[in-house]
Structures are given as C-alpha cells and as structure tokens.
Amino acid sequence: MHLITKAALVFAALSLAACNNPDKFGAGSGAGMGGGGMGAGNGIGTAALGDPSDPTSPAYFQQNIGDRVFFAVDQSTLSSDARAMLALQADWLGRNPSYGVVIEGHADEQGTREYNLALGARRANAAVEYLISQGVAAGRMRTVSYGKERPVEICSDEACYSRNRRAVTVITTGGNV
Amino acid sequence: MTFTKALAIVCALFGLAAGPIFAQSGPLRIQITEGVIEPLPIAVPEFIAETGAARALAQQITDVVLADLTGSGLFREIPAKAHLSRVTSFDAPVQYPDWRAINAQGLVVGAVSLSGGQLRVKFRLYDVFSGQPMGDGLQFSGTKDSWRRMAHKVADAAYARITGEGGYFDSRVVFVAESGPKNQRVKRLALMDYDGANLRYLTDGSALVLAPRFSPTGDSVLYTSYETGFPRIYLMDTQSDRRRALQDQPGTMAFAPRFAPDGRTVVFSLERGGNTDIYTVDTGSGALKRLTNAPSIETAPSYSPDGSQIVFESDRSGGQQLYIMSAAGGDAKRISFGEGRYGTPVWSPRGDMIAFTKQNRGRFHIGVMRVDGSEERLLTAAFLDEGPSWSPNGRVIMFTRETSGSAGASALWSVDVTGRNLRPLGLAGAASDPAWSPLLP
C-alpha cells in the first residue's frame, strides 16, 4: 500500500474516532473535529509526502533522514546526536532547494503552558540556528512552538517525556515560507 | 450541564491557618479571616410564587441561591424538611423562634412573580438570632430567561451582607473545552456561568486555542489561536462573536495576552528568534511597546488592579521566578524566593495578593503570596495544577487540574483563597484555562 493511501486511511480512522467522541458538554455542534492536529496547521503549505523511495520526497526525508531531534529536561541546547541529525537534514535540504521548512518546537507536559510555549520556541530556534550554520538559508525556515499541546507520546513517564521534548523539521512546499 | 451541588468538599492539603470565623454573638456576620469554623447554618425556604406561572421558576431560583451559598463553603443549608415555619407570604412577620429552634442563623425569604415574560424576584435576609432584617429588601427584574442571573444576584446580596465583602456568583467563566485523545486534543473556546450553566462555544475546534482572558468590562475576550498555523492573539466580542487578530509581526509568535485595567492596552508575550519578551499593544492604534529586553523567557504578565505595575514570570535567574515591574517596563524586582519554580502569576482584584503556579519536587501547586513575596501559602498539591484565575471578589481561585497518564484529562477546579473548599466544578467534559469575568452589571 502506498504511504499516501495509508496516511489517508489513518486520517479517516482518526476522523471516525473523533466523530465517536460525543460532545460531552451537550452544547453546540461537534464541528471542527479532527482539525488542529499535530504538525503544521492551517495556512502552512505542507507538501504531499510523496514516495519514500524517491530520495527527493518529504517522505524520504522523514523516514530515511529523520525529521526530529530531542532535548534534555528544560533545555534547548543541542546534543551531539541532535547536531548530527541536523547536519544530515541540512545536507538533504541543500540537495532539495525547492522545499521550505517549518521547525516545530515542543515540550513535555511538566511545565506551565506559557513557559512551555516559550521553551518550545527556544528549541525550534536552536535547530534553525544550527541548520543555518550548516548552510540552510534562513529565508527557507520558519519556527512555531506548540509547547506541551501536541505530545507524540501520551504516558506521564520520562520514557514518553524524552520523546516529546523535540524539534521537528516539517518539509513544506515553496522555498520561502 | 448543571452545577453539581453534592461535590465532595475536600479540605486543603496544607494546614492553613486562615478560614472563616463566625461571630456567634452580636449581629450575623462572617469574617473571612482566621480560624476554620463550621459553615454558617442558613434556611432558604422555597421562594413564594406570587403568580401561578412562576411556580416552577420559584423552585429553580431557590435551588440556585442555595447552590451558590453552600457552594461557597461558608454556608450550610438547613433542609426544608427540618423547617418548623412555612413562609406563605413575602411580607408576613418572621416567626423567629421557629427558625432559632432549628439553629438557622440566617434566613433568606424570597418571592417570584412572572407576568408578560417579565420576571421579578424579591428577597429579604434576616438575622434570626438578633431577630431583625439585615438590610432592606431588594427586588430584581428582567426577562424570564435571565432567571439564573437573578438567583445569583440574590445570593450575591446575601453573601455580601453577611461577609461584608462583594459577591462573585453573578459572573461568567471563559475557558477551553477539550475533547479527543491526549495526542490529538481538540480545544474550543467556551463561555459559561461561573457554576457551569449556560455553556456556549465561541470557536469550532478547527484551530488550537489557548488561555482566554476577559476584558475588564467582561464583554470581550482575548485568546491565542493557531488558526494561521502560528500562535496569534485574537480579540472576540462575546455578544456578536466577531473577532479580529490583534497584531501580527511576521516571523514571531504572540501569546499570553491579558488586558490592562484601562480595557484598551493588552500586555502579552512576543517571541522572536527563540527569545520571548513582554510587550504591550494598544488595541485602538495597534501601537506596540516593548517592556522587557532580555535573552531569558519573560511571559505570563498580569497587571495590578490600578494598572501601575505588572507581575510576570522570567527564568533570568536560571529557573522560572516571579517579578514585578512598572507598567512602563524597566527594572524588575524578584518576589518569589522559595524552593522550586514559579509561573503564571495573577494579581488579585483586591491588589493585595498574587496567585501563581508552583512546581516543586515533581508536584504542582496553586499558591498565593503577598505582593512583596511574603506569606507564601500553597493551596493545592497535585500531579498538575496550573493557571489560577481570581473570582471577582478575590476570595476564590479557579484553575486547571490535569490527571496523569495516557488517559490524562483536564478539569476546572476551585479553591478558596484560604485553602478551604477545594472542589471540581463538575463539568461534563474536559476543560482547561479558566478565566473569571468581573461581576456582571
């Protein structure tokens, strides 16, 4: 099955799950379910993932290069692993100059909402600064912080927290964002 | 959704010295200061329906008055079945001995009439032991569908006369209604009465929304939305639901907005190049002013009620701590010095205290301190408590409590500023980020 088809099925499943989730407050309609998901939201042109066997596709970037780096608790400094990953990302972006990038910064749930937004912005910016140092043009990149609003892992242990403290490089259409 | 009256009232986990005192001699009076005492016993016999059409409403209004007063934690209901006297007419003389016999210290007598869609609610409050009315009778009138507000106004008047402080029942709360799994949360702005009634959604859930805040008059709401893909501040009129983006600097994020008492200036956090500072924007002219300029995180600003100062959080000393600066910016004075991290400070409407979120040793707390940082008291302790908001009279704090784990969910809770009467609001769905309105006119 092609990834696109898979993605569509996953999205459909999520949408159904959302539909099955009753409007517990019993007021208004359940409009808008399924929106506001992880990753770039409305207004950001996210590229079709394409075929992961095509080395110029965002899917290839995501699966074969790696789209995220992780951070220590309450930190935004890049580990050597993170720098190595970002160097690979910069290399790919250098070979695929038509894409733009949105770097999402995220935090784990240990922290207040506003602080985590600011912390996620620091993380996203740390990734951007490193990508610039590796030759990626600043004008191709934008940052956004989700703070603790979009965890990928949902347990309340360090095993999950360590995967939620992340900066994710999302490939977008257009060299400028 | 209704306000759940039978919520367990859990005492605070910390041995706070503060609490209400009930003067047993002299005039009926609760001084909300020191010493934890029993709630004051009151009788609220069913309000008299003066027109046939008002019968059902009279019962409902009585229930809301009782829920307000007992929900404050300061009053205890003497149930109707224990009453010896029946109140049959609003103007009939009060049979004080009958109410003394059942130890009712306060008596609320009310009457409701409905004609031509116009609702009228009258009430009188009596001090049973001194055998006289407390203040004059009051009458509220309005349309039939404002009956809950009239009940809240009766309760506010009784509360104010007995405590000597303003009430908080005729007020609203704007908050974020949550649904969906933890990694796919749908968040919608919602508005309700302070007790959870009359819930109405303000946004449809298609975009992530965070931390709404009322204007000083209570008729508009500031919030952060990701509808463009990037966090941006919006101002919505809660009558018309019309909204507009406040300001947008390309390549930046804007969040944590709050109104100045002038109702025109908005203070907020603006992030640029990974650094977050505090700015103000004039909602009329759009003029932007920078108040802090540091490489650290400066966020969660809140004005003093007189508008002269701003309390905010900053990690300029290494961890999150609370600071106060002039509303014009400039030097800031650190006020939090305890163990752990302090965030989301909110200035009390009385001006004397700051409520905050504290993180220490893996636990979260809602706490209060004096404006100079002294007399810090923690009111709660849990896996994750955050984001305090003051009731209009500065007596009660509402906040978000989130449970842990993959099924973790947020709920709105409230606690008295003394640490007593900790309780969930009992809403049907998950909710976060409450912000209390001023008392409605």
Side-chain angles (χ1 to χ4, degrees):
Chain A
M1 196 185 322
H2 288 292
L3 188 73
I4 295 286
T5 325
K6 271 192 208 163
L9 284 175
V10 168
F11 183 73
L14 285 172
S15 303
L16 282 174
C19 295
N20 288 335
N21 194 335
D23 181 4
K24 288 187 182 160
F25 285 103
S29 71
M33 294 296 193
M38 186 176 43
N42 302 339
I44 300 175
T46 305
L49 285 172
D51 184 342
S53 65
D54 171 4
T56 68
S57 71
Y60 180 91
F61 176 86
Q62 208 178 45
Q63 294 176 26
N64 296 38
I65 305 290
D67 66 350
R68 60 198 61 200
V69 296
F70 302 102
F71 296 86
V73 177
D74 200 22
Q75 294 299 314
S76 56
T77 38
L78 298 168
S79 65
S80 54
D81 282 357
R83 289 196 300 270
M85 171 59 70
L86 290 167
L88 291 173
Q89 291 184 2
D91 181 58
W92 187 88
L93 287 166
R95 283 183 277 109
N96 295 280
S98 64
Y99 292 112
V101 166
V102 173
I103 315 274
E104 299 176 354
H106 297 271
D108 66 31
E109 68 188 1
Q110 310 169 93
T112 47
R113 205 176 304 291
E114 296 86 348
Y115 181 82
N116 277 342
L117 284 174
L119 178 60
R122 270 184 181 164
R123 288 173 174 159
N125 189 64
V128 163
E129 295 288 341
Y130 197 77
L131 289 170
I132 290 173
S133 79
Q134 299 297 301
V136 181
R140 293 175 68 185
M141 297 185 279
R142 246 201 109 160
T143 59
V144 62
S145 174
Y146 286 92
K148 61 177 172 177
E149 305 303 319
R150 290 288 179 259
V152 282
E153 302 290 343
I154 57 175
C155 73
S156 294
D157 305 322
E158 177 55 21
C160 288
Y161 292 163
S162 63
R163 296 188 51 76
N164 289 334
R165 294 187 299 264
R166 68 200 192 277
V168 181
T169 304
V170 179
I171 305 299
T172 67
T173 48
N176 293 300
V177 285
Chain B
M1 180 184 46
T2 55
F3 183 63
T4 311
K5 214 166 45 172
L7 297 170
I9 294 178
V10 185
C11 280
L13 303 166
F14 289 77
L16 299 171
I21 234 178
F22 302 119
Q24 299 296 316
S25 58
L28 181 62
R29 185 79 167 178
I30 300 176
Q31 282 182 337
I32 314 175
T33 48
E34 303 284 312
V36 177
I37 318 274
E38 285 289 293
L40 184 96
I42 49 161
V44 185
E46 186 176 327
F47 282 19
I48 300 143
E50 293 188 328
T51 58
R55 194 154 293 134
L57 272 178
Q59 174 69 59
Q60 291 172 298
I61 288 170
T62 312
D63 290 345
V64 170
V65 170
L66 264 169
D68 283 347
L69 293 174
T70 58
S72 74
L74 301 180
F75 302 91
R76 174 170 66 80
E77 176 194 5
I78 295 182
K81 62 178 187 295
H83 297 181
L84 303 176
S85 271
R86 197 159 299 281
V87 178
T88 50
S89 147
F90 186 68
D91 293 313
V94 170
Q95 304 301 310
Y96 289 110
D98 287 352
W99 299 106
R100 276 183 209 126
I102 58 171
N103 193 36
Q105 306 215 1
L107 171 67
V108 176
V109 172
V112 180
S113 62
L114 180 65
S115 62
Q118 197 67 10
L119 182 66
R120 206 175 53 167
V121 179
K122 299 184 288 189
F123 96 103
R124 284 201 183 98
L125 175 66
Y126 297 94
D127 177 347
V128 170
F129 280 77
S130 57
Q132 49 196 328
M134 285 188 86
D136 294 332
L138 271 185
Q139 174 177 301
F140 303 105
S141 49
T143 58
K144 185 185 173 191
D145 49 1
S146 60
W147 68 270
R148 290 191 72 95
R149 286 202 53 200
M150 284 191 247
H152 292 317
K153 284 201 176 295
V154 168
D156 274 329
Y159 177 101
R161 287 175 185 190
I162 294 174
T163 65
E165 305 192 1
Y168 61 90
F169 307 123
D170 187 24
S171 61
R172 295 199 174 106
V173 171
V174 63
F175 67 102
V176 173
E178 301 191 359
S179 57
K182 200 169 170 179
N183 55 356
Q184 194 78 25
R185 213 62 112 196
V186 174
K187 296 196 169 191
R188 307 171 72 177
L189 223 55
L191 184 65
M192 63 183 181
D193 296 352
Y194 99 99
D195 59 3
N198 293 321
L199 185 138
R200 185 164 78 80
Y201 292 119
L202 303 178
T203 66
D204 64 7
S206 58
L208 176 62
V209 292
L210 301 173
R213 309 290 180 207
F214 273 109
S215 66
T217 51
D219 49 18
S220 60
V221 168
L222 287 165
Y223 63 102
T224 302
S225 169
Y226 280 67
E227 63 184 74
T228 65
F230 299 90
R232 201 175 175 193
I233 295 166
Y234 293 81
L235 177 59
M236 179 185 281
D237 180 313
T238 56
Q239 292 293 317
S240 66
D241 289 5
R242 272 205 305 270
R243 64 190 174 77
R244 63 184 172 99
L246 259 201
Q247 72 92 45
D248 192 26
Q249 306 270 308
T252 68
M253 304 197 318
F255 58 99
R258 210 182 273 275
F259 268 104
D262 67 12
R264 180 180 170 92
T265 311
V266 170
V267 66
F268 68 104
S269 268
L270 190 142
E271 177 273 343
R272 191 192 301 269
N275 181 38
T276 300
D277 271 306
I278 293 172
Y279 289 70
T280 56
V281 62
D282 183 306
T283 53
S285 70
L288 197 63
K289 185 178 177 206
R290 184 171 191 160
L291 299 189
T292 67
N293 194 343
S296 42
I297 290 173
E298 274 73 37
T299 190
S302 167
Y303 278 93
S304 61
D306 68 1
S308 69
Q309 297 177 90
I310 292 171
V311 64
F312 63 99
E313 61 169 84
S314 167
D315 68 349
R316 58 184 66 176
S317 69
Q320 276 171 285
Q321 298 291 343
L322 307 184
Y323 294 81
I324 289 177
M325 65 179 170
S326 156
D331 289 344
K333 183 175 164 236
R334 179 169 162 183
I335 60 165
S336 62
F337 291 95
E339 197 186 336
R341 299 161 61 161
Y342 296 77
T344 73
V346 194
W347 214 302
S348 106
R350 302 162 161 231
D352 57 342
M353 287 206 275
I354 308 286
F356 55 84
T357 305
K358 177 167 174 158
Q359 262 176 283
N360 192 26
R361 302 183 183 195
R363 302 280 281 173
F364 278 74
H365 309 270
I366 301 297
V368 292
M369 59 173 64
R370 298 237 159 245
V371 171
D372 63 5
S374 66
E375 296 181 42
E376 175 179 332
R377 291 180 311 190
L378 300 183
L379 309 178
T380 74
F383 166 72
L384 208 175
D385 283 352
E386 74 171 300
S389 176
W390 291 94
S391 64
N393 68 351
R395 293 300 322 171
V396 182
I397 292 170
M398 200 178 286
F399 59 96
T400 306
R401 171 165 289 182
E402 190 167 350
T403 53
S404 72
S406 51
S410 294
L412 306 188
W413 284 62
S414 66
V415 64
D416 197 272
V417 71
T418 59
R420 299 174 74 248
N421 204 21
L422 174 67
R423 51 193 275 165
L425 244 72
L427 302 182
S432 61
D433 290 0
W436 219 315
S437 79
L439 209 54
L440 298 176

